[in-house]
Amino acid sequence: MKLYNYFRSSASFRVRIALNFKGLPYEYAVVHLTKGGGQQFAPEFRAINPDALIPVLDDEGQRLTQSLAIIEYLEETHPQPPLLPTGALARARVRALALEVACDIHPLNNLRVLNYLSNTLGVTMEQRTGWYKYWIDSGFEALEKRLAADPRTGPFCHGPSPSLADVCLVPQVANARRYHVDLSPFPTIVRIDAACAALPAFADAAPARQPDAE
Ligand SMILES: N[C@@H](CCC(=O)N[C@@H](CS)C(=O)NCC(=O)O)C(=O)O
């Protein structure tokens, strides 16, 4: 398998964790999101993904997009160890936690959104950073309440082993740290992030450990 990705991309980070967790080796193909105006916009990459977004996973010529669809594909093709629990209710909870990050927090802070704020709407760098922090802060506030209040939360987002929810949470926490978001109001999130960081699948997928890390 070949993963088109970039060390800082948190959607790519999710897929790297899932591949590591399932013990699947892959070729690392760099798509630098800022060099030369962004390699995602190059015609060669647009031919691979017209959305001009990473990650893209190439599995024997089949190109898969959307990190959560990719991870569910890996889950179906390589079920062990699982990233989804058994039982419809448990799976719905894990997917909801994952989507809270992947749909309701992350897209608002994507590079193209930040660039539109700066380049088209002309907001200042301070306002742009304020926007970034605001969406993480308000998203984490809800997530923290949900995780802290639910007895199904364990060392990880759902019970005693990592799931798709943790796979989405950890890269979002990394983004928060990069932008110096104060995480002290979110002790459950911080605790779960630390539990994940102790696992090689998560630690080895971290931005700083990637071959294109700057
Ligand atoms: N929903 C997509 C989001 C993909 C995405 O937003 N990728 C970002 C990096 S994390 C990207 O390629 N950004 C390029 C840009 O904004 O120009 C997924 O989960 O795969």
Side-chain angles (χ1 to χ4, degrees):
M1 285 188 271
K2 179 171 177 175
L3 182 65
Y4 294 88
N5 76 137
Y6 178 55
F7 77 108
R8 262 195 200 117
S9 155
S10 56
S12 303
F13 190 174
R14 293 172 200 151
V15 176
R16 293 195 300 260
I17 297 168
L19 286 164
N20 292 348
F21 190 72
K22 290 180 178 289
L24 300 170
Y26 61 96
E27 183 188 337
Y28 191 107
V30 179
V31 180
H32 199 295
L33 292 186
T34 58
K35 200 186 275 176
Q39 292 174 345
Q40 70 274 36
F41 302 117
E44 309 82 69
F45 185 71
R46 275 198 194 269
I48 292 169
N49 184 8
D51 287 325
L53 293 172
I54 48 168
V56 174
L57 184 72
D58 185 317
D59 188 9
E60 294 187 356
Q62 298 294 325
R63 285 177 179 151
L64 306 166
T65 58
Q66 292 293 342
S67 59
L68 268 63
I70 295 171
I71 295 166
E72 293 249 7
Y73 167 79
L74 295 173
E75 180 75 2
E76 287 173 23
T77 50
H78 301 84
Q80 296 300 328
L83 279 170
L84 285 170
T86 47
L89 258 182
R91 289 163 93 88
R93 176 174 186 258
V94 165
R95 288 189 174 114
L97 292 169
L99 291 169
E100 209 168 320
V101 171
C103 294
D104 297 342
I105 301 176
H106 172 266
L108 288 157
N109 286 347
N110 202 357
L111 183 61
R112 60 186 180 174
V113 172
L114 301 179
N115 285 342
Y116 187 85
L117 288 173
S118 299
N119 304 340
T120 305
L121 300 183
V123 307
T124 63
M125 203 39 103
E126 195 186 347
Q127 289 170 319
R128 174 174 154 149
T129 304
W131 166 282
Y132 195 101
K133 289 181 162 183
Y134 174 81
W135 293 112
I136 293 185
D137 223 27
S138 56
F140 275 8
E141 201 180 311
L143 199 54
E144 173 68 27
K145 281 199 186 110
R146 203 183 297 287
L147 287 168
D150 195 320
R152 292 172 293 181
T153 303
F156 300 97
C157 287
H158 191 87
S161 51
S163 68
L164 182 64
D166 305 280
V167 165
C168 290
L169 180 65
V170 165
Q172 194 59 59
V173 171
N175 284 351
R177 290 213 169 95
R178 185 166 162 237
Y179 275 77
H180 307 292
V181 172
D182 176 14
L183 292 175
S184 60
F186 315 120
T188 314
I189 290 175
V190 170
R191 170 178 68 69
I192 291 170
D193 177 68
C196 292
L199 303 177
F202 285 75
D204 293 344
R209 294 230 184 140
Q210 303 318 302
D212 55 336
E214 289 164 9

